[in-house]
Protein backbone atom coordinates (compact mmCIF):
# COMPACT_ATOMS: atom_id res chain seq x y z
CA UNK A 1 0.00 0.00 0.00
CA UNK A 2 1.17 3.47 -0.85
CA UNK A 3 1.42 5.94 2.01
CA UNK A 4 1.80 9.65 1.34
CA UNK A 5 1.54 12.93 3.19
CA UNK A 6 -0.16 16.03 1.84
CA UNK A 7 -1.40 19.45 2.83
CA UNK A 8 -4.74 19.50 4.61
CA UNK A 9 -6.98 20.12 1.60
CA UNK A 10 -10.04 17.92 1.12
CA UNK A 11 -9.99 15.91 -2.11
CA UNK A 12 -13.14 15.51 -4.22
CA UNK A 13 -13.43 11.75 -4.41
CA UNK A 14 -12.57 8.56 -2.63
CA UNK A 15 -12.85 7.92 1.06
CA UNK A 16 -12.48 10.43 3.87
CA UNK A 17 -11.27 9.32 7.30
CA UNK A 18 -11.74 11.47 10.39
CA UNK A 19 -11.17 10.91 14.09
CA UNK A 20 -13.35 11.37 17.15
CA UNK A 21 -12.11 11.17 20.74
CA UNK A 22 -13.90 9.29 23.49
CA UNK A 23 -17.00 11.23 24.57
CA UNK A 24 -17.77 12.20 20.94
CA UNK A 25 -15.22 15.03 21.01
CA UNK A 26 -14.23 16.14 17.49
CA UNK A 27 -10.78 17.07 16.21
CA UNK A 28 -10.69 20.44 14.38
CA UNK A 29 -10.76 18.56 11.05
CA UNK A 30 -13.77 16.50 12.09
CA UNK A 31 -15.48 19.72 13.14
CA UNK A 32 -14.85 21.13 9.65
CA UNK A 33 -16.24 18.05 7.92
CA UNK A 34 -19.31 18.13 10.14
CA UNK A 35 -19.94 21.73 9.12
CA UNK A 36 -19.59 20.85 5.42
CA UNK A 37 -22.12 18.10 6.01
CA UNK A 38 -24.51 20.55 7.64
CA UNK A 39 -24.20 18.80 10.97
CA UNK A 40 -24.82 15.43 9.33
CA UNK A 41 -21.75 13.84 10.88
CA UNK A 42 -22.89 14.67 14.38
CA UNK A 43 -26.39 13.36 13.57
CA UNK A 44 -25.01 10.10 12.22
CA UNK A 45 -22.90 9.61 15.34
CA UNK A 46 -25.82 10.43 17.62
CA UNK A 47 -27.98 7.95 15.74
CA UNK A 48 -25.45 5.19 16.45
CA UNK A 49 -23.81 3.62 19.50
CA UNK A 50 -20.47 5.16 18.53
CA UNK A 51 -18.81 6.91 21.49
CA UNK A 52 -15.27 7.40 20.21
CA UNK A 53 -13.62 4.48 21.97
CA UNK A 54 -10.47 3.42 20.21
CA UNK A 55 -11.83 0.13 18.90
CA UNK A 56 -14.95 1.76 17.40
CA UNK A 57 -15.60 2.95 13.88
CA UNK A 58 -18.58 4.21 11.93
CA UNK A 59 -19.07 4.33 8.18
CA UNK A 60 -21.25 7.00 6.60
CA UNK A 61 -21.90 6.23 2.95
CA UNK A 62 -22.71 8.94 0.39
CA UNK A 63 -22.30 11.75 2.93
CA UNK A 64 -24.60 14.69 2.32
CA UNK A 65 -22.72 17.87 1.37
CA UNK A 66 -19.52 16.06 0.33
CA UNK A 67 -18.57 14.58 -3.02
CA UNK A 68 -16.73 11.69 -1.43
CA UNK A 69 -18.09 8.16 -1.41
CA UNK A 70 -17.86 7.65 2.33
CA UNK A 71 -16.69 9.09 5.59
CA UNK A 72 -15.07 6.65 7.95
CA UNK A 73 -15.19 7.88 11.53
CA UNK A 74 -12.49 6.27 13.69
CA UNK A 75 -12.62 6.24 17.47
CA UNK A 76 -9.44 7.73 18.95
CA UNK A 77 -10.07 7.00 22.62
CA UNK A 78 -8.85 9.44 25.25
CA UNK A 79 -6.02 11.87 24.37
CA UNK A 80 -4.27 10.89 27.62
CA UNK A 81 -4.08 7.31 26.35
CA UNK A 82 -2.73 8.11 22.90
CA UNK A 83 0.72 6.52 23.05
CA UNK A 84 2.79 5.64 19.99
CA UNK A 85 1.34 2.12 20.10
CA UNK A 86 -2.25 3.36 20.47
CA UNK A 87 -1.75 5.62 17.44
CA UNK A 88 -0.34 2.75 15.41
CA UNK A 89 -3.32 0.62 16.35
CA UNK A 90 -5.68 3.38 15.17
CA UNK A 91 -3.87 3.30 11.82
CA UNK A 92 -4.25 -0.47 11.71
CA UNK A 93 -7.98 -0.14 12.29
CA UNK A 94 -8.27 2.34 9.43
CA UNK A 95 -6.72 -0.16 7.01
CA UNK A 96 -8.84 -2.99 8.38
CA UNK A 97 -12.06 -0.98 8.11
CA UNK A 98 -11.30 -0.04 4.49
CA UNK A 99 -9.96 -3.34 3.21
CA UNK A 100 -13.22 -4.28 1.50
CA UNK A 101 -14.35 -0.91 0.26
CA UNK A 102 -14.87 -0.07 -3.41
CA UNK A 103 -12.50 2.88 -3.60
CA UNK A 104 -8.76 2.64 -4.09
CA UNK A 105 -7.79 5.85 -2.32
CA UNK A 106 -8.50 7.24 1.09
CA UNK A 107 -7.62 10.57 2.65
CA UNK A 108 -6.97 10.61 6.38
CA UNK A 109 -7.95 14.01 7.65
CA UNK A 110 -6.62 14.30 11.19
CA UNK A 111 -3.74 16.70 10.89
CA UNK A 112 -4.15 17.85 14.49
CA UNK A 113 -4.13 15.06 17.06
CA UNK A 114 -3.91 15.58 20.82
CA UNK A 115 -1.55 12.88 22.01
CA UNK A 116 0.61 12.62 25.11
CA UNK A 117 4.07 14.10 24.47
CA UNK A 118 3.77 13.44 20.74
CA UNK A 119 3.46 16.29 18.26
CA UNK A 120 0.90 16.09 15.46
CA UNK A 121 3.43 15.18 12.75
CA UNK A 122 4.93 12.37 14.83
CA UNK A 123 1.42 11.24 15.75
CA UNK A 124 0.27 11.09 12.15
CA UNK A 125 3.45 9.15 11.29
CA UNK A 126 2.54 6.54 13.90
CA UNK A 127 -0.98 6.28 12.51
CA UNK A 128 0.52 5.83 9.04
CA UNK A 129 2.91 3.18 10.34
CA UNK A 130 0.05 1.16 11.83
CA UNK A 131 -1.96 1.48 8.64
CA UNK A 132 1.00 0.21 6.64
CA UNK A 133 1.71 -2.70 9.01
CA UNK A 134 -1.90 -3.84 8.80
CA UNK A 135 -1.97 -3.71 4.98
CA UNK A 136 0.39 -6.66 4.45
CA UNK A 137 -1.22 -9.80 3.04
CA UNK A 138 -0.04 -13.18 1.89
CA UNK A 139 -2.13 -14.09 -1.16
CA UNK A 140 0.34 -14.98 -3.90
CA UNK A 141 -0.96 -18.55 -4.17
CA UNK A 142 -4.62 -17.57 -4.53
CA UNK A 143 -4.64 -17.72 -8.32
CA UNK A 144 -8.43 -17.74 -8.76
CA UNK A 145 -9.12 -14.63 -6.73
CA UNK A 146 -9.24 -11.58 -8.96
CA UNK A 147 -6.52 -9.03 -8.41
CA UNK A 148 -9.07 -6.38 -7.50
CA UNK A 149 -10.58 -8.64 -4.85
CA UNK A 150 -7.26 -9.25 -3.19
CA UNK A 151 -6.80 -5.71 -2.01
CA UNK A 152 -8.96 -2.78 -2.97
CA UNK A 153 -7.37 -0.02 -1.01
CA UNK A 154 -4.20 1.02 -2.82
CA UNK A 155 -3.22 4.28 -1.22
CA UNK A 156 -3.65 6.28 1.96
CA UNK A 157 -2.89 9.99 2.05
CA UNK A 158 -2.38 11.62 5.43
CA UNK A 159 -3.15 15.29 5.87
CA UNK A 160 -0.47 17.15 7.81
CA UNK A 161 0.56 20.74 8.44
CA UNK A 162 4.28 20.06 8.04
CA UNK A 163 4.87 17.49 5.32
CA UNK A 164 8.65 17.40 5.70
CA UNK A 165 8.40 16.71 9.42
CA UNK A 166 5.81 14.00 8.99
CA UNK A 167 7.88 12.29 6.31
CA UNK A 168 10.96 12.38 8.49
CA UNK A 169 9.05 10.83 11.37
CA UNK A 170 7.53 8.16 9.13
CA UNK A 171 10.72 7.15 7.34
CA UNK A 172 12.28 4.94 10.06
CA UNK A 173 8.87 3.42 10.84
CA UNK A 174 8.42 2.45 7.19
CA UNK A 175 11.84 0.80 7.28
CA UNK A 176 10.92 -1.20 10.35
CA UNK A 177 7.75 -2.23 8.49
CA UNK A 178 9.93 -3.47 5.60
CA UNK A 179 11.67 -5.74 8.09
CA UNK A 180 8.33 -6.93 9.47
CA UNK A 181 7.14 -7.73 5.95
CA UNK A 182 10.11 -9.87 4.94
CA UNK A 183 9.73 -11.80 8.21
CA UNK A 184 6.01 -12.36 7.63
CA UNK A 185 6.78 -13.37 4.06
CA UNK A 186 9.33 -16.09 4.84
CA UNK A 187 7.34 -17.39 7.80
CA UNK A 188 4.18 -17.65 5.66
CA UNK A 189 5.83 -19.42 2.74
CA UNK A 190 5.19 -23.18 2.67
CA UNK A 191 7.97 -25.57 3.68
CA UNK A 192 8.50 -26.81 0.13
CA UNK A 193 9.45 -23.25 -0.81
CA UNK A 194 11.29 -22.09 2.31
CA UNK A 195 13.92 -24.65 3.33
CA UNK A 196 17.45 -24.07 4.64
CA UNK A 197 19.15 -23.35 1.32
CA UNK A 198 16.34 -21.24 -0.12
CA UNK A 199 16.09 -19.21 3.08
CA UNK A 200 19.85 -18.71 3.09
CA UNK A 201 19.52 -17.41 -0.47
CA UNK A 202 16.90 -14.89 0.60
CA UNK A 203 19.22 -13.81 3.41
CA UNK A 204 22.03 -13.33 0.88
CA UNK A 205 19.95 -10.66 -0.82
CA UNK A 206 20.50 -8.44 2.23
CA UNK A 207 24.00 -7.76 0.94
CA UNK A 208 22.36 -5.29 -1.45
CA UNK A 209 21.43 -3.06 1.49
CA UNK A 210 24.84 -3.28 3.14
CA UNK A 211 24.57 -6.33 5.36
CA UNK A 212 27.61 -8.63 5.31
CA UNK A 213 26.35 -12.15 4.66
CA UNK A 214 28.13 -15.48 5.08
CA UNK A 215 26.55 -18.91 4.63
CA UNK A 216 28.10 -21.99 6.20
CA UNK A 217 27.08 -25.35 4.71
CA UNK A 218 27.29 -28.76 6.34
CA UNK A 219 30.96 -29.28 5.56
CA UNK A 220 31.93 -26.02 7.26
CA UNK A 221 29.75 -26.86 10.23
CA UNK A 222 31.28 -30.31 10.51
CA UNK A 223 34.74 -28.74 10.69
CA UNK A 224 33.51 -26.54 13.53
CA UNK A 225 32.08 -29.56 15.34
CA UNK A 226 28.45 -28.44 15.23
CA UNK A 227 27.14 -31.97 15.57
CA UNK A 228 24.10 -30.98 17.64
CA UNK A 229 22.72 -28.80 14.84
CA UNK A 230 23.80 -31.22 12.12
CA UNK A 231 22.18 -34.17 13.90
CA UNK A 232 18.78 -32.50 13.63
CA UNK A 233 19.12 -32.18 9.86
CA UNK A 234 20.66 -35.56 9.14
CA UNK A 235 17.32 -37.17 8.26
CA UNK A 236 16.50 -34.52 5.67
CA UNK A 237 17.53 -34.41 2.02
CA UNK A 238 17.93 -30.65 2.49
CA UNK A 239 21.33 -29.41 3.54
CA UNK A 240 21.49 -27.52 6.85
CA UNK A 241 22.81 -23.97 6.74
CA UNK A 242 24.14 -21.44 9.20
CA UNK A 243 23.66 -17.87 8.05
CA UNK A 244 25.82 -15.13 9.57
CA UNK A 245 24.59 -11.57 9.03
CA UNK A 246 26.56 -8.54 10.15
CA UNK A 247 25.38 -4.95 10.29
CA UNK A 248 28.21 -2.71 11.43
CA UNK A 249 26.64 0.71 11.75
CA UNK A 250 28.22 1.46 15.13
CA UNK A 251 31.70 2.47 16.19
CA UNK A 252 34.58 0.05 15.59
CA UNK A 253 35.34 -0.47 19.27
CA UNK A 254 31.75 -1.41 20.18
CA UNK A 255 31.29 -5.16 20.78
CA UNK A 256 28.33 -6.37 18.74
CA UNK A 257 24.92 -7.35 19.98
CA UNK A 258 24.03 -10.82 18.75
CA UNK A 259 20.58 -12.05 17.78
CA UNK A 260 20.24 -15.77 17.16
CA UNK A 261 17.19 -17.45 15.60
CA UNK A 262 15.89 -21.00 15.55
CA UNK A 263 15.30 -21.84 11.91
CA UNK A 264 13.72 -25.28 11.65
CA UNK A 265 12.07 -24.86 8.27
CA UNK A 266 9.85 -27.83 9.03
CA UNK A 267 9.56 -29.77 12.27
CA UNK A 268 7.97 -33.20 11.86
CA UNK A 269 9.42 -34.19 15.22
CA UNK A 270 11.79 -36.59 13.45
CA UNK A 271 11.68 -40.22 14.63
CA UNK A 272 9.78 -39.00 17.73
CA UNK A 273 7.21 -37.97 15.16
CA UNK A 274 4.43 -35.50 15.85
CA UNK A 275 0.75 -36.39 15.43
CA UNK A 276 -0.74 -35.62 11.99
CA UNK A 277 -3.26 -33.04 13.19
CA UNK A 278 -2.03 -29.49 12.54
CA UNK A 279 1.47 -30.67 11.70
CA UNK A 280 1.41 -28.17 8.83
CA UNK A 281 1.82 -25.45 11.45
CA UNK A 282 5.39 -26.56 11.95
CA UNK A 283 6.32 -24.57 8.84
CA UNK A 284 6.60 -21.60 11.18
CA UNK A 285 9.23 -23.31 13.30
CA UNK A 286 11.73 -21.05 11.54
CA UNK A 287 10.07 -17.87 12.83
CA UNK A 288 13.02 -17.06 15.11
CA UNK A 289 15.33 -16.99 12.11
CA UNK A 290 12.70 -15.09 10.16
CA UNK A 291 12.78 -12.38 12.83
CA UNK A 292 16.58 -12.22 12.68
CA UNK A 293 16.31 -11.71 8.92
CA UNK A 294 13.69 -8.95 9.24
CA UNK A 295 15.51 -7.21 12.07
CA UNK A 296 18.77 -7.10 10.11
CA UNK A 297 16.94 -5.74 7.08
CA UNK A 298 15.35 -2.91 9.03
CA UNK A 299 18.63 -2.05 10.77
CA UNK A 300 20.36 -1.79 7.41
CA UNK A 301 17.56 0.27 5.84
CA UNK A 302 17.53 2.60 8.84
CA UNK A 303 21.34 2.72 8.79
CA UNK A 304 21.15 2.08 12.51
CA UNK A 305 24.09 3.34 14.52
CA UNK A 306 24.90 0.00 16.17
CA UNK A 307 26.82 -3.22 15.52
CA UNK A 308 24.59 -6.28 15.32
CA UNK A 309 25.32 -9.88 14.37
CA UNK A 310 22.37 -11.98 13.23
CA UNK A 311 22.66 -15.75 13.21
CA UNK A 312 20.15 -18.06 11.55
CA UNK A 313 20.44 -21.77 12.38
CA UNK A 314 18.63 -23.45 9.50
CA UNK A 315 17.70 -27.10 9.26
CA UNK A 316 14.77 -29.43 8.58
CA UNK A 317 13.70 -32.07 11.12
CA UNK A 318 12.60 -35.16 9.16
CA UNK A 319 12.25 -38.87 9.90
CA UNK A 320 14.10 -41.15 7.49
CA UNK A 321 16.64 -43.97 7.33
CA UNK A 322 19.39 -41.50 8.03
CA UNK A 323 17.55 -39.64 10.79
CA UNK A 324 18.84 -39.26 14.30
CA UNK A 325 17.56 -41.90 16.76
CA UNK A 326 16.31 -41.45 20.32
CA UNK A 327 19.29 -42.66 22.35
CA UNK A 328 21.94 -41.17 20.10
CA UNK A 329 24.67 -39.17 21.81
CA UNK A 330 26.23 -36.23 19.99
CA UNK A 331 29.13 -33.94 20.82
CA UNK A 332 28.25 -30.28 20.43
CA UNK A 333 30.65 -27.58 19.26
CA UNK A 334 31.13 -26.56 22.91
CA UNK A 335 32.57 -30.02 23.66
CA UNK A 336 29.59 -30.92 25.85
CA UNK A 337 27.86 -34.18 24.98
CA UNK A 338 24.10 -34.51 24.58
CA UNK A 339 21.95 -37.60 24.88
CA UNK A 340 19.04 -37.27 22.43
CA UNK A 341 16.00 -38.71 24.18
CA UNK A 342 13.38 -37.07 22.01
CA UNK A 343 14.14 -36.02 18.46
CA UNK A 344 11.26 -33.52 18.67
CA UNK A 345 13.18 -31.43 21.20
CA UNK A 346 15.36 -30.28 18.30
CA UNK A 347 15.28 -26.50 18.62
CA UNK A 348 17.59 -26.49 21.63
CA UNK A 349 20.09 -28.65 19.70
CA UNK A 350 20.16 -26.14 16.86
CA UNK A 351 20.46 -23.18 19.22
CA UNK A 352 23.05 -24.84 21.49
CA UNK A 353 25.55 -24.89 18.66
CA UNK A 354 24.43 -21.54 17.20
CA UNK A 355 24.77 -19.76 20.56
CA UNK A 356 28.16 -21.32 21.29
CA UNK A 357 29.44 -20.38 17.83
CA UNK A 358 28.15 -16.81 18.26
CA UNK A 359 29.85 -16.08 21.58
CA UNK A 360 33.00 -17.91 20.55
CA UNK A 361 33.47 -16.00 17.29
CA UNK A 362 32.02 -12.57 17.99
CA UNK A 363 32.53 -11.99 21.73
CA UNK A 364 29.21 -10.09 21.80
CA UNK A 365 28.27 -7.73 24.62
CA UNK A 366 24.99 -9.63 24.85
CA UNK A 367 23.02 -12.32 23.03
CA UNK A 368 19.30 -12.62 22.43
CA UNK A 369 17.81 -15.74 20.90
CA UNK A 370 14.32 -16.14 19.48
CA UNK A 371 12.81 -19.56 19.08
CA UNK A 372 9.49 -21.33 18.65
CA UNK A 373 10.96 -23.63 21.24
CA UNK A 374 8.20 -25.26 23.28
CA UNK A 375 4.51 -26.06 23.13
CA UNK A 376 4.57 -25.62 26.92
CA UNK A 377 4.99 -21.84 26.59
CA UNK A 378 1.58 -21.72 24.89
CA UNK A 379 0.08 -23.66 27.79
CA UNK A 380 1.45 -21.03 30.17
CA UNK A 381 0.94 -17.79 28.23
CA UNK A 382 -1.32 -18.49 25.26
CA UNK A 383 -0.71 -16.07 22.42
CA UNK A 384 -0.64 -12.87 24.52
CA UNK A 385 2.95 -12.94 25.75
CA UNK A 386 6.20 -14.56 24.68
CA UNK A 387 8.31 -16.17 27.39
CA UNK A 388 11.44 -14.30 28.50
CA UNK A 389 14.30 -16.19 30.12
CA UNK A 390 17.54 -14.49 31.04
CA UNK A 391 20.68 -14.62 33.14
CA UNK A 392 20.70 -10.81 33.39
CA UNK A 393 18.20 -8.54 35.18
CA UNK A 394 19.22 -5.30 33.44
CA UNK A 395 18.81 -6.88 30.01
CA UNK A 396 15.43 -8.32 31.02
CA UNK A 397 14.24 -4.90 32.18
CA UNK A 398 15.23 -3.23 28.92
CA UNK A 399 13.52 -5.91 26.87
CA UNK A 400 10.39 -5.78 29.01
CA UNK A 401 10.23 -1.99 28.61
CA UNK A 402 10.44 -2.29 24.82
CA UNK A 403 7.86 -5.06 24.91
CA UNK A 404 5.40 -2.72 26.63
CA UNK A 405 6.07 0.10 24.18
CA UNK A 406 5.62 -2.04 21.07
CA UNK A 407 2.85 -4.33 22.28
CA UNK A 408 5.04 -7.37 21.59
CA UNK A 409 4.67 -8.45 25.18
CA UNK A 410 7.14 -10.49 27.22
CA UNK A 411 6.70 -12.30 30.52
CA UNK A 412 9.78 -13.36 32.45
CA UNK A 413 10.17 -16.89 33.79
CA UNK A 414 12.62 -18.09 36.43
CA UNK A 415 15.80 -20.06 35.82
CA UNK A 416 17.71 -21.94 38.50
CA UNK A 417 19.87 -24.86 39.59
CA UNK A 418 16.99 -27.17 40.41
CA UNK A 419 15.62 -26.82 36.89
CA UNK A 420 19.10 -27.20 35.46
CA UNK A 421 19.62 -30.54 37.25
CA UNK A 422 16.53 -31.82 35.48
CA UNK A 423 18.46 -32.12 32.21
CA UNK A 424 21.45 -34.00 33.65
CA UNK A 425 21.89 -37.29 31.81
CA UNK A 426 23.00 -40.66 33.21
CA UNK A 427 25.29 -41.30 30.26
CA UNK A 428 26.22 -37.89 28.77
CA UNK A 429 26.68 -34.31 29.99
CA UNK A 430 23.01 -33.58 29.43
CA UNK A 431 19.85 -34.90 27.84
CA UNK A 432 17.68 -32.92 25.48
CA UNK A 433 14.45 -33.21 27.49
CA UNK A 434 13.59 -32.83 31.16
CA UNK A 435 12.49 -35.73 33.34
CA UNK A 436 8.82 -35.06 32.73
CA UNK A 437 8.22 -33.15 35.95
CA UNK A 438 6.74 -30.15 34.17
CA UNK A 439 8.29 -26.72 33.51
CA UNK A 440 9.05 -27.74 29.92
CA UNK A 441 9.76 -24.20 28.74
CA UNK A 442 12.15 -23.60 31.62
CA UNK A 443 14.13 -26.81 31.21
CA UNK A 444 14.46 -25.95 27.51
CA UNK A 445 15.86 -22.54 28.49
CA UNK A 446 18.21 -24.20 31.00
CA UNK A 447 19.53 -26.30 28.16
CA UNK A 448 20.28 -23.16 26.13
CA UNK A 449 21.97 -21.51 29.10
CA UNK A 450 24.58 -24.28 29.10
CA UNK A 451 25.76 -22.86 25.75
CA UNK A 452 25.97 -19.12 26.48
CA UNK A 453 29.21 -19.24 28.47
CA UNK A 454 28.05 -16.55 30.94
CA UNK A 455 27.54 -13.89 28.25
CA UNK A 456 24.54 -11.67 29.16
CA UNK A 457 21.76 -13.49 27.38
CA UNK A 458 18.00 -13.52 26.91
CA UNK A 459 15.91 -16.24 25.34
CA UNK A 460 12.50 -15.40 23.87
CA UNK A 461 10.23 -18.43 23.47
CA UNK A 462 7.91 -17.21 20.70
CA UNK A 463 6.09 -20.51 20.00
CA UNK A 464 2.76 -19.01 21.11
CA UNK A 465 3.06 -15.62 19.43
CA UNK A 466 4.78 -16.21 16.07
CA UNK A 467 1.52 -17.18 14.39
CA UNK A 468 -1.88 -15.60 15.10
CA UNK A 469 -5.19 -17.38 14.59
CA UNK A 470 -7.21 -14.14 14.78
CA UNK A 471 -6.79 -10.65 13.38
CA UNK A 472 -5.02 -8.05 15.51
CA UNK A 473 -4.90 -4.27 15.03
CA UNK A 474 -1.45 -4.33 13.42
CA UNK A 475 -1.78 -7.58 11.49
CA UNK A 476 -4.27 -9.85 9.84
CA UNK A 477 -4.14 -13.42 11.15
CA UNK A 478 -1.10 -15.46 10.19
CA UNK A 479 2.61 -14.75 10.60
CA UNK A 480 3.14 -11.94 13.12
CA UNK A 481 6.87 -11.18 12.88
CA UNK A 482 6.75 -10.85 16.68
CA UNK A 483 10.17 -9.60 17.72
CA UNK A 484 11.07 -7.34 14.81
CA UNK A 485 9.41 -4.22 16.22
CA UNK A 486 10.40 -5.18 19.77
CA UNK A 487 14.10 -5.56 18.96
CA UNK A 488 14.22 -2.47 16.76
CA UNK A 489 12.84 -0.51 19.70
CA UNK A 490 15.23 -2.20 22.15
CA UNK A 491 18.24 -1.30 20.02
CA UNK A 492 17.01 2.24 19.25
CA UNK A 493 16.36 3.05 22.90
CA UNK A 494 19.47 1.55 24.43
CA UNK A 495 22.28 1.24 21.92
CA UNK A 496 21.91 3.52 18.92
CA UNK A 497 22.76 6.60 20.99
N1 LIG B 1 8.69 -26.59 17.39
C1 LIG B 1 8.23 -27.24 18.55
C2 LIG B 1 7.53 -26.30 19.53
C3 LIG B 1 6.26 -25.66 19.03
C4 LIG B 1 5.03 -26.17 19.38
C5 LIG B 1 6.30 -24.51 18.26
C6 LIG B 1 3.88 -25.56 18.97
C7 LIG B 1 5.15 -23.90 17.84
C8 LIG B 1 3.93 -24.42 18.19
C9 LIG B 1 9.42 -27.85 19.28
O1 LIG B 1 10.46 -28.28 18.48
C10 LIG B 1 8.91 -29.06 19.98
O2 LIG B 1 8.49 -29.98 19.31
N2 LIG B 1 8.96 -29.07 21.31
C11 LIG B 1 8.50 -30.16 22.08
C12 LIG B 1 9.49 -30.40 23.17
C13 LIG B 1 9.27 -31.69 23.92
C14 LIG B 1 9.53 -32.87 23.02
C15 LIG B 1 10.21 -31.72 25.11
C16 LIG B 1 7.14 -29.80 22.64
O3 LIG B 1 6.92 -28.64 22.99
O4 LIG B 1 6.27 -30.67 22.67
MN1 LIG C 1 10.14 -30.23 17.75
ZN1 LIG D 1 10.66 -27.31 16.69
Amino acid sequence: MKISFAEPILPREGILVVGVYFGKTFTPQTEEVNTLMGGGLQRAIDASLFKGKKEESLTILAPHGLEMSQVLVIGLGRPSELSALALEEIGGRITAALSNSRDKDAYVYMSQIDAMNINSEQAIAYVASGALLRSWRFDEYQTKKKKEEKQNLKSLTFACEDIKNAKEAFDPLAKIAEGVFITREVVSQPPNVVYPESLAKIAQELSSVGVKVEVLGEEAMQKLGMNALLGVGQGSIRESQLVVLQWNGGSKDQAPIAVVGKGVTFDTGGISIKPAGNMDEMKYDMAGSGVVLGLMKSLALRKANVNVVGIMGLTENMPSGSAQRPGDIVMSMSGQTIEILNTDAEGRLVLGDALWYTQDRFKPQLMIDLATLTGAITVALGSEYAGLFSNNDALSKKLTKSSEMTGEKLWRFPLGKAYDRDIDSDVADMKNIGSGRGAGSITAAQFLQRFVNDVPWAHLDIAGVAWEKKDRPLMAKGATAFGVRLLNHFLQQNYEG
Side-chain angles (χ1 to χ4, degrees):
M1 196 168 64
K2 192 169 163 281
I3 302 276
S4 43
F5 299 90
E7 282 166 44
I9 299 169
L10 281 183
R12 295 186 170 272
E13 52 185 18
I15 300 165
L16 181 64
V17 183
V18 293
V20 173
Y21 300 106
F22 181 65
K24 304 190 192 177
T25 309
F26 289 4
T27 71
Q29 289 70 43
T30 308
E31 208 64 85
E32 183 190 331
V33 169
N34 185 43
T35 307
L36 288 171
M37 288 174 68
L41 185 64
Q42 181 79 61
R43 282 211 312 284
I45 288 174
D46 289 342
S48 76
L49 290 170
F50 181 92
K51 289 194 179 56
K53 287 191 198 153
K54 71 173 188 211
E55 59 280 2
E56 289 175 334
S57 70
L58 180 68
T59 302
I60 305 163
L61 294 170
H64 182 76
L66 290 175
E67 290 164 73
M68 315 191 83
S69 63
Q70 63 166 286
V71 175
L72 172 67
V73 186
I74 286 284
L76 300 175
R78 292 185 170 83
S80 62
E81 287 165 8
L82 279 178
S83 61
L85 177 59
L87 289 162
E88 288 193 306
E89 291 186 346
I90 286 164
R93 290 196 177 92
I94 293 175
T95 302
L98 298 179
S99 64
N100 290 319
S101 53
R102 197 204 58 186
D103 296 79
K104 292 191 166 38
D105 310 300
Y107 185 76
V108 183
Y109 195 38
M110 12 179 164
S111 36
Q112 287 162 292
I113 303 180
D114 275 333
M116 292 298 284
N117 303 320
I118 301 173
N119 67 41
S120 281
E121 271 64 38
Q122 182 69 56
I124 209 69
Y126 282 128
V127 177
S129 158
L132 177 62
L133 285 167
R134 181 61 193 263
S135 70
W136 187 87
R137 294 188 187 190
F138 185 72
D139 53 14
E140 70 172 274
Y141 296 107
Q142 294 182 313
T143 64
K144 302 253 158 87
K145 253 196 193 167
K146 288 204 193 73
K147 260 210 176 115
E148 309 83 70
E149 281 174 51
K150 286 185 177 175
Q151 182 135 1
N152 287 340
L153 192 69
K154 291 280 182 315
S155 85
L156 272 178
T157 303
F158 291 85
C160 57
E161 311 268 327
D162 185 338
I163 297 175
K164 186 170 166 279
N165 240 321
K167 277 187 175 161
E168 264 171 35
F170 179 64
D171 184 67
L173 299 171
K175 287 167 175 169
I176 292 171
E178 284 299 307
V180 167
F181 294 164
I182 194 174
T183 302
R184 289 185 189 165
E185 164 78 26
V186 296
V187 174
S188 304
Q189 286 288 354
N192 58 330
V193 173
V194 158
Y195 48 89
E197 278 174 307
S198 67
L199 189 48
K201 253 214 175 92
I202 294 169
Q204 254 155 350
E205 289 165 19
L206 288 192
S207 60
S208 67
V209 290
V211 175
K212 190 172 158 199
V213 189
E214 293 162 74
V215 178
L216 281 63
E218 291 190 350
E219 215 185 291
M221 285 191 270
Q222 259 150 23
K223 282 199 185 118
L224 288 162
M226 303 180 103
N227 301 310
L229 189 156
L230 289 168
V232 174
Q234 79 185 37
S236 169
I237 58 163
R238 311 286 196 190
E239 185 176 332
S240 298
Q241 310 271 291
L242 189 84
V243 178
V244 181
L245 303 165
Q246 291 181 69
W247 170 252
N248 292 316
S251 65
K252 279 218 169 68
D253 53 343
Q254 178 195 59
I257 289 161
V259 185
V260 182
K262 170 177 173 181
V264 176
T265 59
F266 196 70
D267 180 15
T268 64
I271 296 299
S272 314
I273 198 163
K274 288 181 180 295
N278 301 326
M279 200 203 273
D280 59 289
E281 290 180 359
M282 284 303 112
K283 75 170 185 181
Y284 73 78
D285 212 17
M286 38 57 71
S289 269
V291 170
V292 170
L293 179 73
L295 174 69
M296 297 306 286
K297 181 167 185 179
S298 39
L299 292 176
L301 292 175
R302 293 201 287 111
K303 305 215 184 307
N305 183 17
V306 61
N307 299 331
V308 180
V309 177
I311 304 283
M312 302 162 67
L314 306 177
T315 188
E316 186 182 53
N317 189 18
M318 298 291 275
S320 78
S322 63
Q324 180 155 264
R325 293 147 293 256
D328 281 5
I329 295 177
V330 295
M331 181 174 282
S332 65
M333 183 185 173
S334 70
Q336 304 175 93
T337 55
I338 306 163
E339 182 189 16
I340 313 294
L341 289 181
N342 187 322
T343 63
D344 197 12
E346 86 296 342
R348 61 199 77 184
L349 301 169
V350 173
L351 284 174
D353 272 343
L355 285 164
W356 185 266
Y357 172 82
T358 303
Q359 60 79 32
D360 183 54
R361 175 172 168 194
F362 293 102
K363 314 282 181 252
Q365 52 174 306
L366 62 93
M367 297 197 283
I368 299 168
D369 78 74
L370 300 106
T372 47
L373 202 63
T374 65
I377 202 70
T378 314
V379 176
L381 298 172
S383 58
E384 283 303 311
Y385 287 79
L388 163 65
F389 305 79
S390 180
N391 59 3
N392 189 290
D393 292 345
L395 174 57
S396 295
K397 279 212 180 98
K398 289 176 185 163
L399 284 167
T400 303
K401 178 80 191 153
S402 290
S403 90
E404 285 160 3
M405 302 306 282
T406 56
E408 297 187 337
K409 292 185 284 183
L410 299 176
W411 195 262
R412 192 175 179 186
F413 281 71
L415 292 168
K417 282 218 170 67
Y419 294 118
D420 185 66
R421 272 196 292 275
D422 204 37
I423 52 168
D424 284 340
S425 158
D426 292 337
V427 292
D429 295 331
M430 68 192 90
K431 53 190 182 186
N432 77 328
I433 50 172
S435 307
R437 282 189 288 264
S441 301
I442 302 177
T443 49
Q446 292 292 163
F447 186 99
L448 301 183
Q449 192 175 6
R450 292 190 181 202
F451 296 86
V452 304
N453 210 6
D454 289 333
V455 172
W457 152 82
H459 155 58
L460 311 185
D461 193 335
I462 58 171
V465 296
W467 192 270
E468 262 294 349
K469 292 208 165 83
K470 57 181 199 305
D471 291 353
R472 296 243 182 191
L474 300 181
M475 68 198 85
K477 64 184 176 196
T480 63
F482 182 108
V484 176
R485 290 170 54 254
L486 167 76
L487 293 180
N488 267 291
H489 188 277
F490 166 79
L491 293 169
Q492 268 174 335
Q493 290 299 306
N494 303 294
Y495 301 95
E496 293 180 29

